[in-house]
Amino acid sequence: MITYSQQELDSILQQHKLWLENQGGERAQLRNADLSHLALQNLDLRCASLIRANFSGADLSGTNMNEADITYANFSHANLNNATFRDADLRNADMSYAQMFNVDLYRADLFRTDFSHANLSDNAINRVDTSKTIIKLRNSSQQCIST
């Protein structure tokens, strides 16, 4: 895992913001980053590369991760309230024990995403387009939500 100082992380996020606004900058590459237990509320991480990032215990409330590549990321025990993951790639992500109230998962790829013991608001899964999504719970004793 790669750890970043607050200054390094701020620089990456500033460059990502410029990239999103087509003003230069560069896409955030936070692959294998250890961002656990950090306060990361209300960030714009759209289209970021967050593969295998560790967000365990982090506060990502209000953060926009639409269209981000978040495969194999760890969100266990994270605060994801009001976060958006529209069209995000969350395959094999660990969302166990996460707080997920008012989360937008519309068209997110949730293949083998672990939601065990997550606190999901009633409408979180209703926002998933299940026509092309396979949700497989890792705990084989539980029923699959959709296949």
Side-chain angles (χ1 to χ4, degrees), residues 36-128:
S36 59
H37 305 287
L38 295 179
L40 304 168
Q41 304 97 317
N42 302 307
L43 294 180
D44 190 349
L45 292 173
R46 288 176 293 146
C47 304
S49 177
L50 305 168
I51 299 167
R52 295 190 188 277
N54 181 8
F55 294 105
S56 63
D59 185 353
L60 291 150
S61 56
T63 293
N64 183 342
M65 289 178 263
N66 294 346
E67 299 181 59
D69 188 348
I70 321 172
T71 53
Y72 294 95
N74 181 357
F75 291 96
S76 64
H77 300 276
N79 179 350
L80 301 172
N81 295 337
N82 301 303
T84 60
F85 295 94
R86 284 181 169 245
D87 298 303
D89 189 347
L90 285 160
R91 289 173 295 156
N92 297 289
D94 181 359
M95 302 281 200
S96 61
Y97 296 94
Q99 293 295 317
M100 301 180 71
F101 294 103
N102 198 33
V103 170
D104 188 347
L105 295 166
Y106 185 69
R107 290 190 316 247
D109 190 341
L110 302 173
F111 182 69
R112 294 190 177 166
T113 299
D114 182 0
F115 290 101
S116 60
H117 306 285
N119 268 334
L120 288 152
S121 56
D122 291 339
N123 65 345
I125 298 300
N126 293 337
R127 292 184 182 179
V128 176

Side-chain angles (χ1 to χ4, degrees), residues 33 39 119 132 134:
N119 268 334
K132 296 181 183 172
I134 298 171

Side-chain angles (χ1 to χ4, degrees), residues 19-38:
W19 179 77
L20 287 170
E21 296 169 351
N22 294 316
Q23 297 180 3
E26 61 184 51
R27 179 182 182 205
Q29 300 287 337
L30 293 167
R31 162 177 272 165
N32 294 311
D34 183 2
L35 303 171
S36 59
H37 305 287
L38 295 179

Side-chain angles (χ1 to χ4, degrees), residues 131-143:
S131 64
K132 296 181 183 172
T133 302
I134 298 171
I135 301 172
K136 183 175 180 179
L137 301 176
R138 289 187 184 163
N139 182 345
S140 60
S141 67
Q142 294 178 332
Q143 240 182 334

